[in-house]
Amino acid sequence: MAFHDKRGVLPRFQAGERLKIELGCGPSKTDPAAVGIDALDFDGVDVVGDVFEVLAALPGDSVAACYSAHFFEHIGDLSRLIDELGRTLAPGAVLTVKVPHFSNPYFYSDPTHSRHFGLYTMSYFARDSLLKRKVPNYGRTAVFELEAVRLGFDSPFPFRGLLKRLIGPFFNLATWLQEFHEENLCYLLPCYEVEYRLRRI
């Protein structure tokens, strides 16, 4: 699948300009200044195409920051995506990723969702001094440092959403509370999403 640079932004990366990107931006970008990348041609998309083809067209260390909300769960080859972002993000650049938490009951309703995410998922791809339980890296050399993980609590139903938004933040007060929630309470008080902040080493 050939990609389409609707606004002619890719030459700016080639010329050495460091720009922010938003993967799977959909109809509107969170940051209007970011380069929106999506497989579907919405108004807010700057580059239409397969994420791997678009990232392959970017020079190494050319991206100033990357944001993605509810996109990574659609990617079958997460290791490849992390590797491409590790190549294209400049040292010190921040990667922010929001995805559905595995306890979100609506995650399973979408047949395009291909993987689950929990507190520790990014710890397999990054150096992690935050969380207590250490996970293997399977021989990978980490190019990211995990700086923060937050559990997001919400519901599409107003009363339940309000209740979860009031109670949920308590579990983000400390990592041990996050871990306690995920191990013991996540199916009693399901999370809506999990957000990771990683910094390119």
Side-chain angles (χ1 to χ4, degrees), residues 50 67 99 101 120 174:
D50 176 78
Y67 176 82
V99 286
H101 188 267
Y120 293 95

Side-chain angles (χ1 to χ4, degrees), residues 106-122:
Y106 306 108
F107 172 87
Y108 301 95
S109 301
D110 189 337
T112 67
H113 288 178
S114 62
R115 66 174 51 255
H116 309 9
F117 288 84
L119 275 176
Y120 293 95
T121 303
M122 289 300 169

Side-chain angles (χ1 to χ4, degrees), residues 13-14 57 60 63 65 87 97 105 109 112 118 121 125 129 134 150 173 181 192 195 197-198:
F13 288 99
Q14 301 292 344
V63 176
R87 181 187 69 80
V97 177
S109 301
T112 67
T121 303
F125 301 100
S129 58
K134 299 308 168 192
R150 289 191 60 80
L173 293 176
H181 173 273
Y192 185 76
E195 177 179 337
R197 189 176 73 238
L198 303 102

Side-chain angles (χ1 to χ4, degrees), residues 32-197:
V35 174
I37 300 167
D38 203 299
L40 300 176
D41 189 2
F42 295 110
D43 288 342
V45 177
D46 300 299
V47 183
V48 182
D50 176 78
V51 66
F52 293 112
E53 292 183 17
V54 176
L55 290 175
L58 301 180
D61 300 340
S62 64
V63 176
C66 177
Y67 176 82
S68 179
H70 294 256
F71 170 72
F72 276 45
E73 68 272 18
H74 298 277
I75 301 299
D77 194 344
L78 183 60
S79 296
R80 181 181 174 197
L81 181 59
I82 296 293
D83 289 343
E84 271 301 285
L85 290 169
R87 181 187 69 80
T88 55
L89 281 161
V94 172
L95 168 62
T96 304
V97 177
K98 288 184 180 180
V99 286
H101 188 267
F102 68 80
S103 65
N104 180 342
Y106 306 108
F107 172 87
Y108 301 95
S109 301
D110 189 337
T112 67
H113 288 178
S114 62
R115 66 174 51 255
H116 309 9
F117 288 84
L119 275 176
Y120 293 95
T121 303
M122 289 300 169
S123 302
Y124 287 85
F125 301 100
R127 292 195 311 217
D128 173 12
S129 58
L130 293 175
L131 301 170
K132 184 173 182 180
R133 184 175 71 90
K134 299 308 168 192
V135 299
N137 63 12
Y138 299 111
R140 295 178 60 88
T141 300
V143 297
F144 288 102
E145 178 81 31
L146 183 65
E147 290 193 332
V149 183
R150 289 191 60 80
L151 299 175
F153 295 86
D154 205 350
S155 170
F157 299 96
F159 177 73
R160 280 179 260 174
L162 176 62
L163 187 64
K164 287 186 175 184
R165 289 191 301 274
L166 288 173
I167 297 172
F170 167 76
F171 295 104
N172 285 312
L173 293 176
T175 54
W176 74 266
L177 286 169
Q178 292 175 325
E179 292 170 320
F180 180 83
H181 173 273
E182 187 167 274
E183 184 177 3
N184 301 285
L185 302 174
C186 70
Y187 292 112
L188 295 174
L189 183 70
C191 288
Y192 185 76
E193 64 188 5
V194 57
E195 177 179 337
Y196 312 95
R197 189 176 73 238

